[in-house]
Structures are given as structure tokens and as C-alpha cells.
Amino acid sequence: MSGDPTSFALARIVLREISLALVEPFRISSGVTSQRRILLVEVIDGGGLSGWGECVAGEEPTYSPETIDTAWLAIRRWIAPRILGMAWDHPRQVWPLLQPGFRGHRMAKAAVEMACWDLAARRAGRPLAELLGGERKEVATGISIGIQSSVGELVERAQAAVDAGYRKVKMKIEPGNDFEFLRAVRAALGSEAALMADANSAYTLDDSDHLAAFDQFDLLMIEQPLGRQDLLRHAQLQRRLATPLCLDESITSVQRAADMIELDAGRVVNIKPGRVGGFTPSLEIHRLCRAASVPVWCGGMLESGVGRGHNVSLASLPGFTLPGDLSPSSRYWRRDIVEQEWTMDAEGLVAVRWDRAGCGGDIDPRRLAETTVRTETLRCNTG
Ligand code: OSB
Ligand code: MG
């Protein structure tokens, strides 16, 4: 079966919800998370070989309209029927199956599409990074630090991150918890440290003067200061700032990335494959950003070791020139659900798993069993 180049079809899709406690609560401007509910997708071919995907939809519709519960429904009701039993020979053929007459639900679509890429890599006995066109042996890692209750606590965490080797420090900000926090962290880390802020849409254009004052902190970028749908005002704000804007929530498709570039609404893209609907659109965004000399980096959504494997594989592509939100397993979990936890070395590098087939995040069956709270198996109903 392994290495079979001919077309094949999925026989089953197994959905699982796992419950995983974060090592510490993660607070951003739109809400706090301490217990993750994660939807894992296992796609299984006729020979019994599995590929794995992780849905990045949150517990609540704060970051995106999707949640784990809407994703579960979308996969059961609309995605699985389009995919099960359909023959394909390359995973790039999966994304087009999920588009006609089927709006939104990108995170749900991505979880299945990315599982199909993992399955294709495993069938071919090749690393997912190779299938995606990756090159790097390791990827540079940044930390994303949630909003803290005091400046002192934030400075302590930021300093510890730099000491641990992280190549970039991203701090979450919101009105009232921004200027003094930025000033203190910049002073503590020194002028050379790669520092950035992520607002998760907490500001409006009325805050332009306030945000322009952040230029003095020489940030690498400010991520998503304004509304999720709002390229126009990001472009207006970018004209007022020396600091590059990076868009996250706003980039939901290849076209949105093209529009960002055209409008100069941002100068950096945070690519989260789950947010844009999978690897196929991610590769296209990577391609067009590279052609326009727009740097990209791989964002994170507090993933388990499965989603991390997908992100690390993607970040091995050449256009990912900035450190990603790809922290090691221990930053998030007391114990990850993969056999070999993701680790970071003292230089802030995470190794891409070129030594094995698939995404590099092989499930630990025992950990899976003890964290699973819900399971559903979907089969081809014409079969
Ligand atoms: O805006 O990048 C974001 C987590 C949840 C929702 C949104 C975001 C984040 C992060 C986490 O910043 C980054 C990580 O996974 O380390
Ligand atoms: Mg963000």
C-alpha cells in the first residue's frame, strides 16, 4: 500500500474531541483560554492507513466565527460527504472539492484537507515538509505571551523567553495594557531583541496617534490592530506608521492576501493554514507573498503536537523568513499527545522531522485514549 502512486479514496473519517489543560491560561484581547477542546481528524484510506489533522477552531466564536462545535457539524454534514469515496491522487485535489457552493467553515475544511496531506505523505513514505516543498532542516521559533496582570510579570516572562533562546517575542496588547508594557519590555530586552505586539483587533482608527507612538519601540511589526474585515482602515493606519503591520484574522483567503498587498494594508502576513482553509491556499499565499517580497511567518493557535507538526512542516518553506509561533510542547502542555514531544534548542530552533513519514507528530495512542471525550466515525453512505 505504502508508496502506491495510483489514486485512492478515503474509507472513513474519525472525529475526536480531546480535552487538554494549558500549562497556564492564555489571555488575549478577545478572551482567555485555560482548557483547550481540540478537534482531531483522522482520515483513513481503504488499506487502513491514517492521516491526521487538527482543527484550530476555538471553544468560543471570539477569534473567528467558527468553533469546535460548528466545525464538527460542518465536517459531518457537508465535508465528509464530499470527500469520502472520492478518488484523488494528490492532496492538492482535495481543496477544490470543498469549494463549490460551500461558503466559509475554513477551519473545518482545513482540518480535513491537512489530514489528507498528512495521509498522502505517509502513503508515500515521505515527510510532509517535503511534499509541501519545504527546505529548512529546522525552523526559528518565537513565543506568544498572553496579556499579564502586571508589567513586572510580563517583563519576567519576556526575559525568560529570550534566555531560553526564543528568536522573537510577541506580546499580546489591548487598550490600557499596551504602552507601559511595551516600554518596559523594550527597556528590559534591549534594542536588538526581535519584539512585536499582537492586538487581535482591539483598536480602531481613532487610536491612530496612540498606535503611531509605538514606533518609538522599534517593533518588528504590529499584528492585527484593527477589525477583522477591515483592509481599508489598516491601509490608512499603515500610512501613519513606520512600524510594519502584519495581518492575521483579516487574511482568510488567497484573495485577501493579494488585496492586502495591493492596498498596502499590511507588510507582513501571519499564515495559519487552518485560518485560510488548508495547505493548498497557504502555499498559494506563500507563493504570492514571496513574489511581492512580503515576508511571512507561521502563526499558531495553541495546537497540540499534531497541529504543531503541520505548522512546522509548512514553516520549512523558503518564504517563511520570520520566526513563527511554533513553541515547543512544554510551553503549552504538561504532556503532549504525540509520542515524541516538540522541543526547541538553545538557539530557538525546532527540528523539522525529515526522518519520518508524515507531519512528524505521531499520536501516542495511550495519551489519545486518556484525553478523548467524544468520538464519531463517518463512513461513505453510498458504500
Ligand atoms: O492571534 O495569533 C493569535 C492563539 C489563539 C488565538 C489567536 C492567536 C493565538 C496566539 C498563540 O498568538 C500562538 C501560539 O500558538 O503559540
Ligand atoms: Mg494574531
Side-chain angles (χ1 to χ4, degrees):
M1 199 75 218
S2 174
D4 183 357
T6 58
S7 77
F8 67 103
L10 300 186
R12 277 178 296 149
I13 298 176
V14 181
L15 304 182
R16 290 183 185 83
E17 175 181 339
I18 62 166
S19 177
L20 273 186
L22 285 165
V23 172
E24 61 177 23
F26 189 74
R27 183 152 94 81
I28 67 179
S29 63
S30 52
V32 63
T33 310
S34 40
Q35 185 80 26
R36 292 284 348 261
R37 292 176 60 203
I38 297 175
L39 167 52
L40 294 177
V41 177
E42 181 183 9
V43 297
I44 304 161
D45 71 11
L49 202 65
S50 294
W52 289 82
E54 175 170 342
C55 184
V56 300
E59 295 75 22
E60 301 291 326
T62 49
Y63 171 87
S64 129
E66 291 187 79
T67 68
I68 173 171
D69 298 304
T70 69
W72 195 294
L73 174 70
I75 295 173
R76 176 207 291 141
R77 183 96 184 253
W78 302 296
I79 298 174
R82 286 185 184 226
I83 299 279
L84 284 167
M86 285 291 285
W88 47 276
D89 51 36
H90 193 284
R92 76 170 79 86
Q93 294 160 350
V94 172
W95 186 83
L97 296 174
L98 301 177
Q99 307 314 311
F102 186 178
R103 294 178 56 201
H105 300 282
R106 291 188 174 89
M107 292 175 174
K109 291 171 178 173
V112 175
E113 194 250 14
M114 293 163 76
C116 290
W117 278 84
D118 184 55
L119 174 60
R122 289 177 199 263
R123 281 174 61 92
R126 293 157 64 195
L128 175 61
E130 184 189 323
L131 204 63
L132 292 169
E135 295 173 357
R136 277 175 234 287
K137 297 282 165 261
E138 59 243 327
V139 297
T141 297
I143 193 170
S144 174
I145 305 178
I147 296 169
Q148 304 296 312
S149 42
S150 72
V151 169
E153 275 168 278
L154 177 63
V155 167
E156 198 178 295
R157 280 177 162 72
Q159 189 61 62
V162 170
D163 295 344
Y166 282 102
R167 297 280 184 105
K168 183 186 81 179
V169 172
K170 158 168 143 179
M171 46 185 279
K172 293 288 184 176
I173 56 169
E174 63 186 357
N177 288 317
D178 49 11
F179 194 86
E180 291 310 320
F181 286 73
L182 285 162
R183 176 154 69 188
V185 173
R186 176 52 89 198
L189 302 186
S191 59
E192 295 299 300
L195 178 65
M196 63 172 289
D198 185 359
N200 292 104
S201 297
Y203 297 90
T204 71
L205 209 50
D206 293 340
D207 300 309
S208 294
D209 291 339
H210 181 63
L211 294 168
F214 297 175
D215 277 346
Q216 68 188 281
F217 301 127
D218 205 17
L219 303 176
L220 203 55
M221 67 194 95
I222 299 174
E223 184 175 342
Q224 196 71 41
L226 308 180
R228 294 158 189 88
Q229 312 274 23
D230 201 347
L231 292 184
L232 175 66
R233 285 166 194 78
H234 276 107
Q236 291 170 343
L237 179 63
Q238 181 68 85
R239 275 183 237 130
R240 301 269 330 269
L241 301 190
T243 305
L245 296 181
C246 167
L247 296 186
D248 173 356
E249 284 91 331
S250 290
I251 308 299
T252 48
S253 65
V254 176
Q255 191 183 60
R256 277 305 188 91
D259 292 354
M260 182 205 88
I261 294 168
E262 176 72 25
L263 295 168
D264 193 27
R267 295 178 180 164
V268 182
V269 176
N270 168 338
I271 299 184
K272 292 177 181 171
R275 192 195 60 227
V276 302
F279 280 134
T280 299
S282 298
L283 295 176
E284 184 58 17
I285 292 170
H286 167 266
R287 192 196 61 73
L288 76 91
C289 286
R290 248 188 130 197
S293 298
V294 170
V296 305
W297 53 281
C298 186
M301 291 290 284
L302 312 175
E303 288 92 346
S304 78
V306 173
R308 198 156 309 285
H310 287 276
N311 289 347
V312 167
S313 301
L314 182 66
S316 72
L317 271 77
F320 287 79
T321 52
L322 294 165
D325 284 347
L326 304 165
S327 294
S329 298
S330 59
R331 154 90 181 123
Y332 310 92
W333 324 112
R334 255 199 311 282
R335 177 76 184 85
D336 205 332
I337 58 161
V338 290
E339 275 170 356
Q340 195 183 337
E341 298 211 330
W342 294 91
T343 57
M344 180 181 81
D345 70 14
E347 311 300 310
L349 300 175
V350 171
V352 180
R353 303 266 166 83
W354 287 97
D355 58 333
R356 64 179 71 197
C359 74
D362 294 340
I363 290 279
D364 173 346
R366 209 179 41 88
R367 270 302 275 159
L368 182 67
E370 67 195 23
T371 55
T372 298
V373 297
R374 177 161 65 133
T375 304
E376 181 173 350
T377 300
L378 308 167
R379 289 188 173 79
C380 193
N381 58 15
T382 58

